[in-house]
């Protein structure tokens, strides 16, 4: 969360951390930046945590032209 690793990675702990970091409240945007080694489950966990925190605007970082289609 905000480039800081979390000690606890349960959905509840991630939801709490996201809620605390969401300075824009419910209008905050969650950007999930997962590389190829990230598990599908870890991305789903973050998405579920965001939903539980009431944060529904979820996106990924824009790809540079050299990364498109990879």
């Amino acid at each position: 969360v905000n480039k800081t690793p979390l000690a606890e990675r349960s959905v509840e702990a991630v939801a709490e951390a996201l809620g605390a970091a969401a300075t824009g409240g419910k209008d905050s945007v969650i950007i999930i930046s997962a590389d190829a080694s990230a598990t599908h489950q870890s991305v789903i966990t973050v998405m579920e945590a965001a939903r539980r925190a009431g944060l529904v605007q979820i996106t990924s970082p824009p790809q540079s032209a050299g990364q498109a289609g990879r």
Side-chain angles (χ1 to χ4, degrees), residues 17-57:
L18 289 173
T23 57
K26 304 294 183 195
D27 292 329
S28 295
V29 176
I30 304 298
I31 299 172
I32 300 176
S33 180
D35 63 18
S37 66
T39 65
H40 181 74
Q41 184 59 51
S42 64
V43 174
I44 296 300
T45 297
V46 173
M47 293 173 71
E48 174 61 14
R51 185 191 67 78
R52 289 187 188 186
L55 306 168
V56 296
Q57 296 187 63

PDB file of all heavy atoms in Angstrom, residues 17-57:
ATOM      1  N   ALA A  17      -5.632  -1.217   5.683  1.00  0.00           N
ATOM      2  CA  ALA A  17      -4.541  -0.381   5.182  1.00  0.00           C
ATOM      3  C   ALA A  17      -5.003   0.491   4.017  1.00  0.00           C
ATOM      4  O   ALA A  17      -4.656   1.672   3.936  1.00  0.00           O
ATOM      5  CB  ALA A  17      -3.361  -1.252   4.759  1.00  0.00           C
ATOM      6  N   LEU A  18      -5.798  -0.076   3.125  1.00  0.00           N
ATOM      7  CA  LEU A  18      -6.315   0.709   1.999  1.00  0.00           C
ATOM      8  C   LEU A  18      -7.239   1.818   2.484  1.00  0.00           C
ATOM      9  O   LEU A  18      -7.166   2.951   2.007  1.00  0.00           O
ATOM     10  CB  LEU A  18      -7.063  -0.187   1.007  1.00  0.00           C
ATOM     11  CG  LEU A  18      -6.212  -1.143   0.180  1.00  0.00           C
ATOM     12  CD1 LEU A  18      -7.107  -2.074  -0.631  1.00  0.00           C
ATOM     13  CD2 LEU A  18      -5.262  -0.390  -0.721  1.00  0.00           C
ATOM     14  N   GLY A  19      -8.099   1.494   3.427  1.00  0.00           N
ATOM     15  CA  GLY A  19      -9.005   2.496   3.973  1.00  0.00           C
ATOM     16  C   GLY A  19      -8.251   3.642   4.629  1.00  0.00           C
ATOM     17  O   GLY A  19      -8.607   4.811   4.460  1.00  0.00           O
ATOM     18  N   ALA A  20      -7.182   3.315   5.361  1.00  0.00           N
ATOM     19  CA  ALA A  20      -6.379   4.349   6.018  1.00  0.00           C
ATOM     20  C   ALA A  20      -5.631   5.205   5.003  1.00  0.00           C
ATOM     21  O   ALA A  20      -5.430   6.397   5.215  1.00  0.00           O
ATOM     22  CB  ALA A  20      -5.405   3.698   6.996  1.00  0.00           C
ATOM     23  N   ALA A  21      -5.225   4.601   3.898  1.00  0.00           N
ATOM     24  CA  ALA A  21      -4.448   5.331   2.886  1.00  0.00           C
ATOM     25  C   ALA A  21      -5.338   6.123   1.930  1.00  0.00           C
ATOM     26  O   ALA A  21      -4.848   6.988   1.208  1.00  0.00           O
ATOM     27  CB  ALA A  21      -3.592   4.347   2.090  1.00  0.00           C
ATOM     28  N   ALA A  22      -6.613   5.854   1.927  1.00  0.00           N
ATOM     29  CA  ALA A  22      -7.538   6.489   0.981  1.00  0.00           C
ATOM     30  C   ALA A  22      -7.886   7.896   1.451  1.00  0.00           C
ATOM     31  O   ALA A  22      -8.959   8.136   1.996  1.00  0.00           O
ATOM     32  CB  ALA A  22      -8.791   5.636   0.823  1.00  0.00           C
ATOM     33  N   THR A  23      -6.983   8.832   1.211  1.00  0.00           N
ATOM     34  CA  THR A  23      -7.194  10.203   1.675  1.00  0.00           C
ATOM     35  C   THR A  23      -8.331  10.896   0.931  1.00  0.00           C
ATOM     36  O   THR A  23      -8.878  11.868   1.418  1.00  0.00           O
ATOM     37  CB  THR A  23      -5.908  11.034   1.529  1.00  0.00           C
ATOM     38  OG1 THR A  23      -5.483  11.011   0.156  1.00  0.00           O
ATOM     39  CG2 THR A  23      -4.800  10.475   2.403  1.00  0.00           C
ATOM     40  N   GLY A  24      -8.689  10.370  -0.225  1.00  0.00           N
ATOM     41  CA  GLY A  24      -9.811  10.936  -0.993  1.00  0.00           C
ATOM     42  C   GLY A  24     -11.131  10.285  -0.646  1.00  0.00           C
ATOM     43  O   GLY A  24     -12.116  10.490  -1.341  1.00  0.00           O
ATOM     44  N   GLY A  25     -11.134   9.468   0.399  1.00  0.00           N
ATOM     45  CA  GLY A  25     -12.363   8.773   0.780  1.00  0.00           C
ATOM     46  C   GLY A  25     -12.799   7.800  -0.290  1.00  0.00           C
ATOM     47  O   GLY A  25     -11.973   7.170  -0.965  1.00  0.00           O
ATOM     48  N   LYS A  26     -14.089   7.673  -0.467  1.00  0.00           N
ATOM     49  CA  LYS A  26     -14.651   6.704  -1.425  1.00  0.00           C
ATOM     50  C   LYS A  26     -14.304   7.037  -2.870  1.00  0.00           C
ATOM     51  O   LYS A  26     -14.448   6.200  -3.744  1.00  0.00           O
ATOM     52  CB  LYS A  26     -16.176   6.634  -1.276  1.00  0.00           C
ATOM     53  CG  LYS A  26     -16.646   6.298   0.115  1.00  0.00           C
ATOM     54  CD  LYS A  26     -16.266   4.906   0.524  1.00  0.00           C
ATOM     55  CE  LYS A  26     -16.822   4.610   1.906  1.00  0.00           C
ATOM     56  NZ  LYS A  26     -16.241   3.467   2.535  1.00  0.00           N
ATOM     57  N   ASP A  27     -13.823   8.265  -3.125  1.00  0.00           N
ATOM     58  CA  ASP A  27     -13.434   8.648  -4.483  1.00  0.00           C
ATOM     59  C   ASP A  27     -11.980   8.304  -4.798  1.00  0.00           C
ATOM     60  O   ASP A  27     -11.509   8.570  -5.908  1.00  0.00           O
ATOM     61  CB  ASP A  27     -13.656  10.149  -4.698  1.00  0.00           C
ATOM     62  CG  ASP A  27     -15.130  10.516  -4.699  1.00  0.00           C
ATOM     63  OD1 ASP A  27     -15.950   9.672  -5.113  1.00  0.00           O
ATOM     64  OD2 ASP A  27     -15.458  11.637  -4.279  1.00  0.00           O
ATOM     65  N   SER A  28     -11.267   7.732  -3.836  1.00  0.00           N
ATOM     66  CA  SER A  28      -9.872   7.347  -4.068  1.00  0.00           C
ATOM     67  C   SER A  28      -9.799   6.287  -5.152  1.00  0.00           C
ATOM     68  O   SER A  28     -10.708   5.467  -5.301  1.00  0.00           O
ATOM     69  CB  SER A  28      -9.248   6.796  -2.783  1.00  0.00           C
ATOM     70  OG  SER A  28      -9.175   7.799  -1.802  1.00  0.00           O
ATOM     71  N   VAL A  29      -8.714   6.290  -5.897  1.00  0.00           N
ATOM     72  CA  VAL A  29      -8.505   5.318  -6.967  1.00  0.00           C
ATOM     73  C   VAL A  29      -7.420   4.340  -6.514  1.00  0.00           C
ATOM     74  O   VAL A  29      -6.347   4.755  -6.077  1.00  0.00           O
ATOM     75  CB  VAL A  29      -8.078   6.011  -8.279  1.00  0.00           C
ATOM     76  CG1 VAL A  29      -7.775   4.983  -9.360  1.00  0.00           C
ATOM     77  CG2 VAL A  29      -9.162   6.968  -8.751  1.00  0.00           C
ATOM     78  N   ILE A  30      -7.699   3.061  -6.633  1.00  0.00           N
ATOM     79  CA  ILE A  30      -6.739   2.008  -6.306  1.00  0.00           C
ATOM     80  C   ILE A  30      -6.042   1.617  -7.599  1.00  0.00           C
ATOM     81  O   ILE A  30      -6.692   1.235  -8.573  1.00  0.00           O
ATOM     82  CB  ILE A  30      -7.445   0.762  -5.710  1.00  0.00           C
ATOM     83  CG1 ILE A  30      -8.278   1.136  -4.490  1.00  0.00           C
ATOM     84  CG2 ILE A  30      -6.440  -0.333  -5.402  1.00  0.00           C
ATOM     85  CD1 ILE A  30      -7.495   1.712  -3.347  1.00  0.00           C
ATOM     86  N   ILE A  31      -4.714   1.717  -7.614  1.00  0.00           N
ATOM     87  CA  ILE A  31      -3.928   1.297  -8.775  1.00  0.00           C
ATOM     88  C   ILE A  31      -3.182   0.035  -8.374  1.00  0.00           C
ATOM     89  O   ILE A  31      -2.335   0.067  -7.478  1.00  0.00           O
ATOM     90  CB  ILE A  31      -2.941   2.394  -9.218  1.00  0.00           C
ATOM     91  CG1 ILE A  31      -3.710   3.659  -9.609  1.00  0.00           C
ATOM     92  CG2 ILE A  31      -2.084   1.892 -10.386  1.00  0.00           C
ATOM     93  CD1 ILE A  31      -2.826   4.857  -9.880  1.00  0.00           C
ATOM     94  N   ILE A  32      -3.507  -1.067  -9.020  1.00  0.00           N
ATOM     95  CA  ILE A  32      -2.844  -2.342  -8.741  1.00  0.00           C
ATOM     96  C   ILE A  32      -1.730  -2.514  -9.755  1.00  0.00           C
ATOM     97  O   ILE A  32      -1.976  -2.614 -10.953  1.00  0.00           O
ATOM     98  CB  ILE A  32      -3.827  -3.525  -8.815  1.00  0.00           C
ATOM     99  CG1 ILE A  32      -4.940  -3.343  -7.784  1.00  0.00           C
ATOM    100  CG2 ILE A  32      -3.081  -4.841  -8.600  1.00  0.00           C
ATOM    101  CD1 ILE A  32      -6.013  -4.406  -7.845  1.00  0.00           C
ATOM    102  N   SER A  33      -0.513  -2.551  -9.254  1.00  0.00           N
ATOM    103  CA  SER A  33       0.658  -2.734 -10.102  1.00  0.00           C
ATOM    104  C   SER A  33       1.268  -4.095  -9.777  1.00  0.00           C
ATOM    105  O   SER A  33       2.026  -4.233  -8.826  1.00  0.00           O
ATOM    106  CB  SER A  33       1.674  -1.610  -9.840  1.00  0.00           C
ATOM    107  OG  SER A  33       2.800  -1.781 -10.660  1.00  0.00           O
ATOM    108  N   ALA A  34       0.899  -5.092 -10.553  1.00  0.00           N
ATOM    109  CA  ALA A  34       1.362  -6.462 -10.320  1.00  0.00           C
ATOM    110  C   ALA A  34       2.251  -6.892 -11.481  1.00  0.00           C
ATOM    111  O   ALA A  34       1.885  -6.720 -12.637  1.00  0.00           O
ATOM    112  CB  ALA A  34       0.176  -7.403 -10.197  1.00  0.00           C
ATOM    113  N   ASP A  35       3.410  -7.452 -11.150  1.00  0.00           N
ATOM    114  CA  ASP A  35       4.279  -7.931 -12.220  1.00  0.00           C
ATOM    115  C   ASP A  35       3.946  -9.386 -12.544  1.00  0.00           C
ATOM    116  O   ASP A  35       3.033  -9.970 -11.954  1.00  0.00           O
ATOM    117  CB  ASP A  35       5.753  -7.746 -11.860  1.00  0.00           C
ATOM    118  CG  ASP A  35       6.188  -8.548 -10.640  1.00  0.00           C
ATOM    119  OD1 ASP A  35       5.483  -9.508 -10.256  1.00  0.00           O
ATOM    120  OD2 ASP A  35       7.229  -8.218 -10.067  1.00  0.00           O
ATOM    121  N   ALA A  36       4.672  -9.966 -13.461  1.00  0.00           N
ATOM    122  CA  ALA A  36       4.379 -11.318 -13.934  1.00  0.00           C
ATOM    123  C   ALA A  36       4.531 -12.380 -12.843  1.00  0.00           C
ATOM    124  O   ALA A  36       3.926 -13.445 -12.930  1.00  0.00           O
ATOM    125  CB  ALA A  36       5.281 -11.668 -15.115  1.00  0.00           C
ATOM    126  N   SER A  37       5.285 -12.081 -11.793  1.00  0.00           N
ATOM    127  CA  SER A  37       5.477 -13.078 -10.736  1.00  0.00           C
ATOM    128  C   SER A  37       4.382 -13.015  -9.667  1.00  0.00           C
ATOM    129  O   SER A  37       4.323 -13.885  -8.803  1.00  0.00           O
ATOM    130  CB  SER A  37       6.852 -12.901 -10.087  1.00  0.00           C
ATOM    131  OG  SER A  37       6.925 -11.664  -9.406  1.00  0.00           O
ATOM    132  N   ALA A  38       3.514 -12.022  -9.720  1.00  0.00           N
ATOM    133  CA  ALA A  38       2.418 -11.913  -8.749  1.00  0.00           C
ATOM    134  C   ALA A  38       1.392 -13.013  -9.035  1.00  0.00           C
ATOM    135  O   ALA A  38       1.069 -13.280 -10.187  1.00  0.00           O
ATOM    136  CB  ALA A  38       1.754 -10.547  -8.839  1.00  0.00           C
ATOM    137  N   THR A  39       0.892 -13.607  -7.971  1.00  0.00           N
ATOM    138  CA  THR A  39      -0.124 -14.639  -8.165  1.00  0.00           C
ATOM    139  C   THR A  39      -1.472 -13.988  -8.450  1.00  0.00           C
ATOM    140  O   THR A  39      -1.739 -12.862  -8.029  1.00  0.00           O
ATOM    141  CB  THR A  39      -0.268 -15.531  -6.918  1.00  0.00           C
ATOM    142  OG1 THR A  39      -0.758 -14.731  -5.833  1.00  0.00           O
ATOM    143  CG2 THR A  39       1.056 -16.184  -6.546  1.00  0.00           C
ATOM    144  N   HIS A  40      -2.294 -14.726  -9.159  1.00  0.00           N
ATOM    145  CA  HIS A  40      -3.647 -14.257  -9.441  1.00  0.00           C
ATOM    146  C   HIS A  40      -4.383 -14.000  -8.134  1.00  0.00           C
ATOM    147  O   HIS A  40      -5.092 -13.001  -7.986  1.00  0.00           O
ATOM    148  CB  HIS A  40      -4.374 -15.311 -10.288  1.00  0.00           C
ATOM    149  CG  HIS A  40      -5.763 -14.946 -10.658  1.00  0.00           C
ATOM    150  ND1 HIS A  40      -6.054 -14.003 -11.612  1.00  0.00           N
ATOM    151  CD2 HIS A  40      -6.960 -15.396 -10.184  1.00  0.00           C
ATOM    152  CE1 HIS A  40      -7.366 -13.891 -11.717  1.00  0.00           C
ATOM    153  NE2 HIS A  40      -7.936 -14.724 -10.873  1.00  0.00           N
ATOM    154  N   GLN A  41      -4.185 -14.879  -7.153  1.00  0.00           N
ATOM    155  CA  GLN A  41      -4.868 -14.742  -5.864  1.00  0.00           C
ATOM    156  C   GLN A  41      -4.479 -13.459  -5.153  1.00  0.00           C
ATOM    157  O   GLN A  41      -5.320 -12.824  -4.521  1.00  0.00           O
ATOM    158  CB  GLN A  41      -4.582 -15.945  -4.960  1.00  0.00           C
ATOM    159  CG  GLN A  41      -5.358 -15.891  -3.649  1.00  0.00           C
ATOM    160  CD  GLN A  41      -6.863 -15.845  -3.876  1.00  0.00           C
ATOM    161  OE1 GLN A  41      -7.422 -16.656  -4.609  1.00  0.00           O
ATOM    162  NE2 GLN A  41      -7.549 -14.889  -3.258  1.00  0.00           N
ATOM    163  N   SER A  42      -3.231 -13.027  -5.266  1.00  0.00           N
ATOM    164  CA  SER A  42      -2.832 -11.789  -4.586  1.00  0.00           C
ATOM    165  C   SER A  42      -3.556 -10.582  -5.177  1.00  0.00           C
ATOM    166  O   SER A  42      -3.955  -9.671  -4.443  1.00  0.00           O
ATOM    167  CB  SER A  42      -1.312 -11.599  -4.629  1.00  0.00           C
ATOM    168  OG  SER A  42      -0.848 -11.447  -5.954  1.00  0.00           O
ATOM    169  N   VAL A  43      -3.763 -10.576  -6.472  1.00  0.00           N
ATOM    170  CA  VAL A  43      -4.505  -9.485  -7.117  1.00  0.00           C
ATOM    171  C   VAL A  43      -5.971  -9.535  -6.681  1.00  0.00           C
ATOM    172  O   VAL A  43      -6.568  -8.495  -6.351  1.00  0.00           O
ATOM    173  CB  VAL A  43      -4.373  -9.546  -8.651  1.00  0.00           C
ATOM    174  CG1 VAL A  43      -5.245  -8.505  -9.326  1.00  0.00           C
ATOM    175  CG2 VAL A  43      -2.915  -9.372  -9.059  1.00  0.00           C
ATOM    176  N   ILE A  44      -6.556 -10.714  -6.628  1.00  0.00           N
ATOM    177  CA  ILE A  44      -7.947 -10.871  -6.189  1.00  0.00           C
ATOM    178  C   ILE A  44      -8.093 -10.423  -4.740  1.00  0.00           C
ATOM    179  O   ILE A  44      -9.083  -9.775  -4.377  1.00  0.00           O
ATOM    180  CB  ILE A  44      -8.420 -12.334  -6.363  1.00  0.00           C
ATOM    181  CG1 ILE A  44      -8.428 -12.723  -7.839  1.00  0.00           C
ATOM    182  CG2 ILE A  44      -9.786 -12.562  -5.721  1.00  0.00           C
ATOM    183  CD1 ILE A  44      -9.325 -11.884  -8.712  1.00  0.00           C
ATOM    184  N   THR A  45      -7.110 -10.743  -3.904  1.00  0.00           N
ATOM    185  CA  THR A  45      -7.148 -10.321  -2.501  1.00  0.00           C
ATOM    186  C   THR A  45      -7.200  -8.806  -2.393  1.00  0.00           C
ATOM    187  O   THR A  45      -7.991  -8.254  -1.622  1.00  0.00           O
ATOM    188  CB  THR A  45      -5.925 -10.875  -1.736  1.00  0.00           C
ATOM    189  OG1 THR A  45      -5.990 -12.304  -1.739  1.00  0.00           O
ATOM    190  CG2 THR A  45      -5.880 -10.368  -0.302  1.00  0.00           C
ATOM    191  N   VAL A  46      -6.385  -8.110  -3.166  1.00  0.00           N
ATOM    192  CA  VAL A  46      -6.381  -6.640  -3.139  1.00  0.00           C
ATOM    193  C   VAL A  46      -7.719  -6.102  -3.640  1.00  0.00           C
ATOM    194  O   VAL A  46      -8.281  -5.164  -3.054  1.00  0.00           O
ATOM    195  CB  VAL A  46      -5.209  -6.068  -3.967  1.00  0.00           C
ATOM    196  CG1 VAL A  46      -5.310  -4.557  -4.080  1.00  0.00           C
ATOM    197  CG2 VAL A  46      -3.880  -6.464  -3.347  1.00  0.00           C
ATOM    198  N   MET A  47      -8.254  -6.695  -4.686  1.00  0.00           N
ATOM    199  CA  MET A  47      -9.540  -6.235  -5.216  1.00  0.00           C
ATOM    200  C   MET A  47     -10.661  -6.434  -4.192  1.00  0.00           C
ATOM    201  O   MET A  47     -11.500  -5.547  -3.993  1.00  0.00           O
ATOM    202  CB  MET A  47      -9.859  -6.955  -6.525  1.00  0.00           C
ATOM    203  CG  MET A  47      -8.921  -6.576  -7.648  1.00  0.00           C
ATOM    204  SD  MET A  47      -9.154  -7.542  -9.144  1.00  0.00           S
ATOM    205  CE  MET A  47     -10.714  -6.887  -9.711  1.00  0.00           C
ATOM    206  N   GLU A  48     -10.669  -7.560  -3.516  1.00  0.00           N
ATOM    207  CA  GLU A  48     -11.681  -7.828  -2.491  1.00  0.00           C
ATOM    208  C   GLU A  48     -11.499  -6.884  -1.302  1.00  0.00           C
ATOM    209  O   GLU A  48     -12.475  -6.369  -0.744  1.00  0.00           O
ATOM    210  CB  GLU A  48     -11.615  -9.286  -2.034  1.00  0.00           C
ATOM    211  CG  GLU A  48     -12.527  -9.632  -0.877  1.00  0.00           C
ATOM    212  CD  GLU A  48     -14.021  -9.435  -1.154  1.00  0.00           C
ATOM    213  OE1 GLU A  48     -14.432  -9.279  -2.321  1.00  0.00           O
ATOM    214  OE2 GLU A  48     -14.801  -9.435  -0.183  1.00  0.00           O
ATOM    215  N   ALA A  49     -10.256  -6.634  -0.916  1.00  0.00           N
ATOM    216  CA  ALA A  49      -9.983  -5.711   0.190  1.00  0.00           C
ATOM    217  C   ALA A  49     -10.461  -4.307  -0.153  1.00  0.00           C
ATOM    218  O   ALA A  49     -11.053  -3.620   0.693  1.00  0.00           O
ATOM    219  CB  ALA A  49      -8.488  -5.707   0.508  1.00  0.00           C
ATOM    220  N   ALA A  50     -10.226  -3.874  -1.377  1.00  0.00           N
ATOM    221  CA  ALA A  50     -10.687  -2.559  -1.804  1.00  0.00           C
ATOM    222  C   ALA A  50     -12.210  -2.485  -1.742  1.00  0.00           C
ATOM    223  O   ALA A  50     -12.782  -1.497  -1.255  1.00  0.00           O
ATOM    224  CB  ALA A  50     -10.200  -2.260  -3.222  1.00  0.00           C
ATOM    225  N   ARG A  51     -12.877  -3.535  -2.201  1.00  0.00           N
ATOM    226  CA  ARG A  51     -14.343  -3.566  -2.160  1.00  0.00           C
ATOM    227  C   ARG A  51     -14.835  -3.462  -0.717  1.00  0.00           C
ATOM    228  O   ARG A  51     -15.740  -2.685  -0.411  1.00  0.00           O
ATOM    229  CB  ARG A  51     -14.868  -4.855  -2.791  1.00  0.00           C
ATOM    230  CG  ARG A  51     -16.391  -4.897  -2.903  1.00  0.00           C
ATOM    231  CD  ARG A  51     -16.898  -6.278  -3.292  1.00  0.00           C
ATOM    232  NE  ARG A  51     -16.665  -7.275  -2.249  1.00  0.00           N
ATOM    233  CZ  ARG A  51     -17.399  -7.410  -1.141  1.00  0.00           C
ATOM    234  NH1 ARG A  51     -18.405  -6.593  -0.900  1.00  0.00           N
ATOM    235  NH2 ARG A  51     -17.139  -8.350  -0.257  1.00  0.00           N
ATOM    236  N   ARG A  52     -14.217  -4.212   0.174  1.00  0.00           N
ATOM    237  CA  ARG A  52     -14.627  -4.178   1.582  1.00  0.00           C
ATOM    238  C   ARG A  52     -14.376  -2.810   2.212  1.00  0.00           C
ATOM    239  O   ARG A  52     -15.087  -2.417   3.133  1.00  0.00           O
ATOM    240  CB  ARG A  52     -13.892  -5.250   2.383  1.00  0.00           C
ATOM    241  CG  ARG A  52     -14.364  -6.644   2.060  1.00  0.00           C
ATOM    242  CD  ARG A  52     -13.755  -7.664   2.980  1.00  0.00           C
ATOM    243  NE  ARG A  52     -14.061  -9.005   2.555  1.00  0.00           N
ATOM    244  CZ  ARG A  52     -13.743 -10.087   3.240  1.00  0.00           C
ATOM    245  NH1 ARG A  52     -13.093  -9.973   4.389  1.00  0.00           N
ATOM    246  NH2 ARG A  52     -14.051 -11.272   2.779  1.00  0.00           N
ATOM    247  N   ALA A  53     -13.357  -2.114   1.736  1.00  0.00           N
ATOM    248  CA  ALA A  53     -13.058  -0.772   2.238  1.00  0.00           C
ATOM    249  C   ALA A  53     -13.949   0.281   1.588  1.00  0.00           C
ATOM    250  O   ALA A  53     -13.856   1.465   1.909  1.00  0.00           O
ATOM    251  CB  ALA A  53     -11.583  -0.441   2.010  1.00  0.00           C
ATOM    252  N   GLY A  54     -14.812  -0.133   0.650  1.00  0.00           N
ATOM    253  CA  GLY A  54     -15.710   0.784  -0.021  1.00  0.00           C
ATOM    254  C   GLY A  54     -15.063   1.538  -1.165  1.00  0.00           C
ATOM    255  O   GLY A  54     -15.571   2.552  -1.621  1.00  0.00           O
ATOM    256  N   LEU A  55     -13.938   1.033  -1.639  1.00  0.00           N
ATOM    257  CA  LEU A  55     -13.193   1.677  -2.721  1.00  0.00           C
ATOM    258  C   LEU A  55     -13.434   0.882  -3.998  1.00  0.00           C
ATOM    259  O   LEU A  55     -13.005  -0.259  -4.114  1.00  0.00           O
ATOM    260  CB  LEU A  55     -11.705   1.727  -2.376  1.00  0.00           C
ATOM    261  CG  LEU A  55     -11.398   2.382  -1.027  1.00  0.00           C
ATOM    262  CD1 LEU A  55      -9.956   2.135  -0.628  1.00  0.00           C
ATOM    263  CD2 LEU A  55     -11.708   3.864  -1.080  1.00  0.00           C
ATOM    264  N   VAL A  56     -14.129   1.479  -4.942  1.00  0.00           N
ATOM    265  CA  VAL A  56     -14.540   0.733  -6.125  1.00  0.00           C
ATOM    266  C   VAL A  56     -13.834   1.158  -7.409  1.00  0.00           C
ATOM    267  O   VAL A  56     -14.008   0.517  -8.441  1.00  0.00           O
ATOM    268  CB  VAL A  56     -16.067   0.794  -6.327  1.00  0.00           C
ATOM    269  CG1 VAL A  56     -16.789   0.122  -5.165  1.00  0.00           C
ATOM    270  CG2 VAL A  56     -16.541   2.222  -6.482  1.00  0.00           C
ATOM    271  N   GLN A  57     -13.065   2.228  -7.351  1.00  0.00           N
ATOM    272  CA  GLN A  57     -12.337   2.676  -8.542  1.00  0.00           C
ATOM    273  C   GLN A  57     -10.974   1.991  -8.554  1.00  0.00           C
ATOM    274  O   GLN A  57     -10.043   2.410  -7.879  1.00  0.00           O
ATOM    275  CB  GLN A  57     -12.178   4.197  -8.534  1.00  0.00           C
ATOM    276  CG  GLN A  57     -13.503   4.926  -8.625  1.00  0.00           C
ATOM    277  CD  GLN A  57     -13.309   6.403  -8.772  1.00  0.00           C
ATOM    278  OE1 GLN A  57     -12.742   6.840  -9.770  1.00  0.00           O
ATOM    279  NE2 GLN A  57     -13.770   7.154  -7.789  1.00  0.00           N
TER     280      GLN A  57
END
